Amino acid sequence: TRAGGLRAEKPGEHSKQVSVQSARGEESLLSAARKVKEAGRDFTYFIVVLVGIGVTGGLFYVIFKELFSSSSPSKIYGDALKKCRSHPEVIGVFGESIKGYGEATRRGRRQLVSHIEYVKDGLKHMRLKFYIEGSETGKRGTVHVEVKENPEKGRFEVRYIFVDVDTYPRRTIVIEDNR
């Protein structure tokens, strides 16, 4: 007998099979709706992956620029500290082992190197200020650095580096003066 698209075998037969028959229109409607749903889900995953790749690329760019660019304050600080450590007059005042550090934060960490960027005569300039201590007991100093952009080379060049000795006897040591 047939009732609502179902067909059942007679009770006396050995096989008990039930088959479901559906109209062609309903089947294509369901498969089209399913396809749209799956396409929407796939598109959403695609957008999430693209956003993830964009954010990761942005982070790599910022890290590369900050650590490896010749125009980053960290790079300029490192170069200036290296020149301070190798200058004979600075070594004579502070001792062999010279360490540099930036401004102290509220948590007591000294990681912030104070810097100001400005434009003068169409060229970028940057001034940095950081502190040094030596192995000599109680010897401290303040290092002032100014760099100017060289448009031909596309990088910053040092205008001056000088060290103010903060302890007695106070004096200023000029490391580089290319004004």
Side-chain angles (χ1 to χ4, degrees):
T1 62
R2 282 192 179 183
L6 295 176
R7 186 185 76 180
E9 304 260 339
K10 292 182 184 174
E13 295 181 11
H14 295 301
S15 67
K16 296 184 178 183
Q17 295 179 349
V18 176
S19 64
V20 178
Q21 298 176 348
S22 62
R24 291 273 184 216
E26 289 178 21
E27 185 176 298
S28 64
L29 204 69
L30 284 176
S31 65
R34 183 175 291 142
K35 286 179 184 178
V36 168
K37 183 178 176 183
E38 288 177 5
R41 187 177 56 222
D42 291 346
F43 183 72
T44 303
Y45 290 151
F46 178 71
I47 294 299
V48 168
V49 168
L50 279 181
V51 168
I53 290 171
V55 168
T56 303
L59 287 173
F60 279 130
Y61 173 75
V62 168
I63 289 170
F64 179 79
K65 184 179 178 205
E66 183 63 29
L67 295 178
F68 301 113
S69 172
S70 66
S71 63
S72 75
S74 299
K75 178 74 171 156
I76 295 168
Y77 160 76
D79 292 344
L81 183 60
K82 193 182 298 182
K83 288 180 182 181
C84 290
R85 287 178 173 158
S86 65
H87 194 270
E89 197 173 349
V90 174
I91 292 172
V93 172
F94 294 98
E96 280 291 325
S97 177
I98 297 173
K99 66 178 184 175
Y101 53 90
E103 299 286 335
T105 63
R106 290 188 293 187
R107 296 181 183 171
R109 298 180 185 199
R110 297 178 176 179
Q111 297 179 351
L112 301 173
V113 175
S114 174
H115 71 281
I116 298 172
E117 297 180 40
Y118 62 96
V119 176
K120 181 180 175 185
D121 299 329
L123 297 174
K124 292 180 186 176
H125 290 69
M126 187 183 310
R127 287 186 183 156
L128 282 86
K129 180 176 89 171
F130 62 93
Y131 306 97
I132 59 173
E133 283 183 3
S135 57
E136 294 290 321
T137 310
K139 293 287 184 177
R140 291 190 201 135
T142 304
V143 180
H144 301 274
V145 182
E146 183 170 335
V147 293
K148 177 173 98 171
E149 180 184 39
N150 183 339
E152 296 164 0
K153 295 182 182 178
R155 40 184 304 162
F156 282 105
E157 292 181 344
V158 175
R159 288 190 64 201
Y160 62 78
I161 300 175
F162 64 88
V163 179
D164 286 331
V165 179
D166 296 338
T167 53
Y168 185 78
R170 291 181 175 266
R171 64 183 183 158
T172 300
I173 302 169
V174 178
I175 295 176
E176 199 167 314
D177 190 7
N178 295 334
R179 292 184 195 200

